[in-house]
Amino acid sequence: MVDEVTKRTLAKIPLLKTKAGPRDGELWVQRLKEEYQTLIKYVQNNKESDNDWFRLESNKDGTRWFGKCWYIHELLKYEFDVEFDIPVTYPATAPEIALPELDGKTAKMYRGGKICMTDHFKPLWARNVPKFGIAHAMALGLGPWLAVEIPDLISKDVIKHKEKQDGASS
Amino acid sequence: MPSSDELEARISALEAELAAVRGQAADVSGRQKINQMSAEVVDSNPYSRLMALKRMGIVDNYELLLFDYDKVELANMNRLFFQPHQAGLSKVDAAVKTLKAINPDVSFEVHNYNITTVDNFKHFMERISKGNLTGDGAVDLVLSCVDNFEARMAINAACNELRQTWFESGVSENAVSGHIQFIIPGQTACFACAPPLVVATNIDEKTLKREGVCAASLPTTMGIVAGFLVQNVLKHLLGFGQAKEAAKPKVVIEAVKEEDVVHEENPWKIEVVSEITEEELISAEGDKPELVEGLQVAYTVPSSEAQTEDTVEQSDQSLEDLMAQMKQL
């Protein structure tokens, strides 16, 4: 289900303790702190292993998240906006991570650019409620999705490198 | 270059044409709203066939509240309800247009939003609890016709908190099976406790699921499941048949026999050795309900012991500090 590299990455992301969603008041603040702690730890881990691949920030309530993620393919960096809402039923249900600019470009996506995580991620999340958080969703949901989809989309010429494209048009 | 007079003439001609088209559109609905429902069984009475069933109960005027946040896409045309010219409209608007044209006696209230976000969810709960015809009480029944787990869990949470009776419905990802589930909060297991994790599969799902596509849809399956749903809604609202009884879980629990495949001859003594022991596997898998033939679980929950993993430490930093730290990375 999960390969060895992912397992090692995963082992280094601390698990969360507080089971609380955005409607749970003070408990949610506690959960949000844990989310930020694990995300900071995960990004630091990525930097240390020279595999830095996303940045995220949230609104004040921690209900809406946005940022950037990028993928290196043949020494070129492809960057995408990433966004998602924390559902009212979080953490029982995982956030639905979206890459809006890729909406309509691949069949492995739902409307609004929500990436398809049904097979590779949802069962895993369900087994790990409430220990998994946003960092885990990025590592096990978005990460593998990018690794499969982006090279494919590049090979199909559906997405082009931004600088290359600019160079050609100017 | 045409003169301004010519342009004005052209504009008024186009406006007249537009008005004509709009007039036609208004005529699409075949009849006017009916104030008093007739029980007469005649061809001109749109309710005559329904009223012929009067012994089952009284059919009142009713109101539908529709929630959705999608737009109609050409890919939706296989569901037979939306029409190509409606592409680009929000689904709720398109649905109301079609339904109003069919039956002007129904009142509609539409909300074009995603119910799983915090603000929308509050409003969603408010409409369930106060959305009846007179605006002073809860709706009779909530029907869940959504296509994802998050939305179902949101509806489940709302209905549990409001003690609202509801029907869940769905079609499997491979588009060849489906389910309906009648839920009375406090009486039957809620969706979070008894979701249809068990999927009836006589065929291997993988053979149907086309590589690289998230979900298939087959209009006939949708039609059949919708038919089951509406039939049971009518049974519930009009009080005939066995809506409640039939909806109670009736999974017969039997032992499933498992037989090891033994090859008679194995001259090279080849055997498959697992890297993990049977015990590790069982503890990782967690409890598995025993299911009747044709059912399988989508996933299991690991047993609660064996929690030796690192958990996040208690932090003295405030949320603001953590947010700032994240930004600086």
Side-chain angles (χ1 to χ4, degrees):
Chain A
M1 186 156 56
V2 182
D3 65 276
E4 283 306 312
V5 182
T6 316
K7 259 188 194 162
R8 247 176 291 142
T9 314
L10 196 60
K12 284 197 221 152
I13 308 174
L15 296 167
L16 289 84
K17 287 184 288 203
T18 309
K19 184 173 185 172
R23 298 169 69 231
D24 294 330
E26 272 308 301
L27 273 176
W28 170 240
V29 178
Q30 180 57 34
R31 168 87 190 189
L32 204 52
K33 276 172 76 173
E34 293 179 13
E35 294 283 1
Y36 266 101
Q37 282 173 273
T38 50
L39 274 167
I40 290 166
K41 177 79 178 129
Y42 180 42
V43 172
Q44 281 167 347
N45 290 347
N46 289 343
K47 281 182 163 182
E48 278 160 24
S49 57
D50 197 25
N51 180 34
D52 194 19
W53 68 277
F54 74 89
R55 282 295 176 280
L56 276 179
E57 54 184 296
S58 73
N59 61 357
K60 207 168 102 307
D61 303 328
T63 53
R64 182 155 184 77
W65 292 72
F66 45 90
K68 301 236 178 254
C69 65
W70 52 91
Y71 187 81
I72 312 285
H73 182 72
E74 289 173 352
L75 302 175
L76 291 170
K77 184 175 167 183
Y78 296 82
E79 194 175 81
F80 309 98
D81 286 335
V82 53
E83 61 174 50
F84 54 88
D85 287 297
I86 297 294
V88 281
T89 45
Y90 189 83
T93 59
E96 297 179 282
I97 300 171
L99 307 176
E101 62 202 281
L102 295 184
D103 191 12
K105 293 186 173 176
T106 158
K108 287 191 186 174
M109 212 167 226
Y110 297 113
R111 64 278 150 113
K114 288 175 180 170
I115 65 166
C116 175
M117 302 198 284
T118 319
D119 259 6
H120 76 281
F121 178 64
K122 294 275 181 71
L124 209 55
W125 179 277
R127 283 171 58 95
N128 288 284
V129 174
K131 294 181 286 172
F132 275 10
I134 293 165
H136 301 87
M138 295 299 277
L140 296 167
L142 183 59
W145 191 92
L146 288 175
V148 172
E149 283 306 299
I150 301 306
D152 184 49
L153 289 172
I154 294 167
S155 76
K156 287 181 188 155
D157 225 18
V158 176
I159 51 178
K160 291 187 178 70
H161 191 261
K162 281 192 181 113
E163 276 162 36
K164 256 180 145 182
Q165 197 182 16
D166 291 347
S169 62
S170 62
Chain B
M1 188 89 172
S3 71
S4 63
D5 285 351
E6 279 171 340
L7 283 175
E8 271 171 28
R10 180 84 185 119
I11 288 169
S12 53
L14 286 172
E15 274 175 346
E17 205 177 311
L18 190 64
V21 171
R22 283 210 178 119
Q24 277 171 17
D27 287 342
V28 166
S29 174
R31 62 182 176 85
Q32 297 297 307
K33 204 173 155 91
I34 296 170
N35 284 326
Q36 191 65 49
M37 214 179 273
S38 159
E40 211 181 352
V41 182
V42 288
D43 283 353
S44 60
N45 178 6
Y47 293 102
S48 69
R49 293 292 162 238
L50 205 53
M51 291 314 248
L53 301 174
K54 205 174 175 182
R55 63 187 170 86
M56 290 177 189
I58 305 150
V59 186
D60 284 325
N61 264 9
Y62 53 100
E63 182 184 40
L64 278 179
L65 269 57
L66 304 176
F67 297 87
D68 202 302
Y69 71 100
D70 242 355
K71 287 217 161 72
V72 178
E73 295 163 11
L74 284 178
N76 301 134
M77 295 312 139
N78 74 336
R79 257 81 97 200
L80 307 173
F81 181 72
F82 298 117
Q83 293 158 28
H85 70 84
Q86 292 173 324
L89 281 180
S90 74
K91 279 190 179 163
V92 285
D93 283 339
V96 161
K97 280 206 171 115
T98 306
L99 293 172
K100 273 225 158 113
I102 294 169
N103 188 345
D105 297 331
V106 183
S107 322
F108 295 92
E109 179 181 316
V110 299
H111 300 285
N112 187 23
Y113 60 57
N114 176 354
I115 58 166
T116 70
T117 66
V118 179
D119 294 340
N120 293 340
F121 185 73
K122 267 185 217 150
H123 187 259
F124 175 60
M125 286 196 33
E126 199 262 334
R127 291 319 295 150
I128 291 177
S129 56
K130 299 199 180 77
N132 71 357
L133 267 179
T134 42
D136 55 3
V139 297
D140 291 316
L141 191 64
V142 171
L143 306 186
S144 155
C145 312
V146 297
D147 61 3
N148 63 81
F149 183 64
E150 292 74 18
R152 288 190 173 94
M153 289 293 277
I155 295 170
N156 184 62
C159 291
N160 271 349
E161 285 176 33
L162 298 168
R163 298 194 152 262
Q164 171 67 51
T165 302
W166 66 292
F167 262 108
E168 148 63 12
S169 69
V171 172
S172 68
E173 295 222 316
N174 65 14
V176 292
S177 63
H179 65 267
I180 63 166
Q181 186 176 351
F182 182 60
I183 300 170
I184 312 171
Q187 288 186 42
T188 65
C190 86
F191 181 77
C193 298
L197 291 179
V198 278
V199 186
T201 41
N202 284 321
I203 35 162
D204 187 0
E205 270 194 63
K206 292 278 179 293
T207 59
L208 268 153
K209 206 174 213 173
R210 259 191 17 228
E211 237 0 87
V213 179
C214 276
S217 92
L218 198 59
T220 41
T221 316
M222 304 258 178
I224 290 165
V225 174
F228 274 122
L229 177 67
V230 175
Q231 180 79 341
N232 282 284
V233 167
L234 290 178
K235 281 156 78 177
H236 173 71
L237 292 179
L238 305 181
F240 67 94
Q242 293 188 313
K244 283 169 194 167
E245 282 72 20
K248 277 182 190 154
K250 276 188 183 162
V251 177
V252 184
I253 295 172
E254 284 175 8
V256 179
K257 266 191 194 165
E258 283 195 30
E259 285 170 29
D260 290 328
V261 180
V262 181
H263 293 276
E264 293 296 318
E265 286 175 41
N266 188 5
W268 290 284
K269 306 282 177 219
I270 296 168
E271 48 179 328
V272 182
V273 181
S274 174
E275 285 182 9
I276 36 177
T277 65
E278 193 95 336
E279 290 77 44
E280 281 174 331
L281 205 65
I282 289 166
S283 109
E285 280 251 296
D287 289 338
K288 224 178 191 179
E290 283 181 354
L291 300 167
V292 291
E293 202 181 41
L295 297 182
Q296 63 183 54
V297 281
Y299 64 84
T300 55
V301 179
S303 47
S304 52
E305 73 257 27
Q307 301 255 338
T308 50
E309 304 110 319
D310 286 340
T311 51
V312 66
E313 283 166 30
Q314 191 75 33
S315 172
D316 298 330
Q317 286 172 292
S318 73
L319 186 56
E320 287 72 26
D321 290 343
L322 287 165
M323 283 180 171
Q325 196 185 338
M326 182 78 192
K327 265 190 192 171
Q328 274 159 18
L329 279 170

